[in-house]
Amino acid sequence: MSYLVVVAHPDDEVLGAGATMYKLAQKGHSVNVCILSGGVNARNRRPTTEELNDDVNNSMKLLGVDKVITGNFPNIELNTVPHIELVKFIEEAIIETKANVVFTHHPADLNNDHLHTSLACQAAVRLFQRRGEVQPLKELLFMEVPSSTEWGLNKTMNQYSPNTFIEIGEKNVNKKLEALSHYRGVMRDYPHPRSHDYIKGLASYRGGQAGMVYAESFESVFRRDF
């Protein structure tokens, strides 16, 4: 199976699905990442470009990621990019990785780039219904990204509602935290959601919801050929 994680910024993929990515890679699946705004030029505490590239490469290598596809779309300005450009970029990533399953942001996340990534991804995954040579998608899942998903305040939109839980165990939670540690300037002190204690606590809570020893949760919004 080929899995593709489509995110707005570097580190979103680890925050949302890092332990699951590692688990899938350990099982021999192909795990790939598509980052729309790879430069994150508006990010507070941003390292140099060379350091950021090193952070991405080191984190993805640790998790066993096969390929990272990086775009140069503007940070915190994805709403200024024509929707079709984002869709086409993601479509190319789907074709290149032969993705069977796609993970992306929930559209009600606080971060506006997450919204536009999610909308573009929802359109891109329908590519197989427009082009017969493209392998049909099996599933699309929304991720839970600490400091964005739970901070969403727009109650006119459906909020994140997990219905899929992947058991990761303490070993994989720790691997996720280790992968995050490679990203300079991302982690914060507790009680910030991007802290060691919060992320491990969230995995414990999600595991408890499903009778598992630590879990990452997802919201499956499209599934076929089960």
Side-chain angles (χ1 to χ4, degrees):
M1 291 274 283
S2 176
Y3 293 82
L4 177 64
V5 184
V6 180
V7 294
H9 318 109
D11 75 37
D12 287 336
E13 75 287 352
V14 185
L15 287 166
T20 297
M21 291 162 59
Y22 180 70
K23 180 176 181 177
L24 292 171
Q26 291 298 299
K27 287 187 171 183
H29 297 293
S30 177
V31 178
N32 305 283
V33 174
C34 173
I35 304 172
L36 296 186
S37 182
V40 287
N41 292 317
R43 174 172 288 179
N44 189 24
R45 307 187 194 183
R46 181 189 184 279
T48 67
T49 298
E50 184 176 277
E51 290 174 336
L52 179 60
N53 291 337
D54 287 343
D55 294 351
V56 173
N57 291 334
N58 291 334
S59 183
M60 296 302 94
K61 182 178 179 181
L62 182 73
L63 295 180
V65 170
D66 291 320
K67 184 176 296 181
V68 180
I69 301 167
T70 305
N72 291 314
F73 297 104
N75 185 205
I76 317 298
E77 295 182 14
L78 290 187
N79 59 310
T80 67
V81 179
H83 177 69
I84 188 65
E85 291 186 19
L86 300 177
V87 173
K88 286 183 175 179
F89 189 84
I90 297 169
E91 286 178 343
E92 288 302 317
I94 290 172
I95 293 170
E96 183 176 344
T97 61
K98 297 180 172 61
N100 304 112
V101 176
V102 174
F103 297 86
T104 193
H105 295 290
H106 191 280
D109 279 10
L110 177 67
N111 190 297
N112 197 42
D113 282 356
H114 292 194
L115 165 63
H116 290 279
T117 300
S118 184
L119 293 175
C121 200
Q122 291 171 51
V125 298
R126 292 290 187 175
L127 182 62
F128 75 92
Q129 290 179 288
R130 301 192 296 276
R131 291 173 52 176
E133 75 276 17
V134 176
Q135 182 170 269
L137 187 81
K138 289 185 179 295
E139 189 165 12
L140 172 66
L141 303 107
F142 292 150
M143 306 184 300
E144 177 179 30
V145 176
S147 76
S148 190
T149 304
E150 79 282 20
W151 281 0
L153 298 175
N154 186 350
K155 301 307 178 187
T156 64
M157 300 177 68
N158 290 330
Q159 301 296 298
Y160 178 74
S161 181
N163 56 19
T164 302
F165 299 83
I166 297 179
E167 187 168 41
I168 52 179
E170 187 168 14
K171 173 188 170 185
N172 290 355
V173 178
N174 292 335
K175 188 65 70 173
K176 173 176 183 166
L177 290 166
E178 185 180 353
L180 283 169
S181 73
H182 284 292
Y183 277 114
R184 277 166 270 215
V186 168
M187 297 298 282
R188 302 284 190 273
D189 293 332
Y190 183 79
H192 194 284
R194 293 200 308 273
S195 64
H196 179 285
D197 288 352
Y198 181 95
I199 288 171
K200 196 157 187 175
L202 178 62
S204 177
Y205 171 68
R206 292 306 188 193
Q209 285 183 297
M212 296 172 168
V213 180
Y214 295 100
E216 283 181 327
S217 76
F218 302 92
E219 185 175 344
S220 176
V221 290
F222 176 81
R223 178 182 291 174
R224 66 186 297 279
D225 197 22
F226 183 72

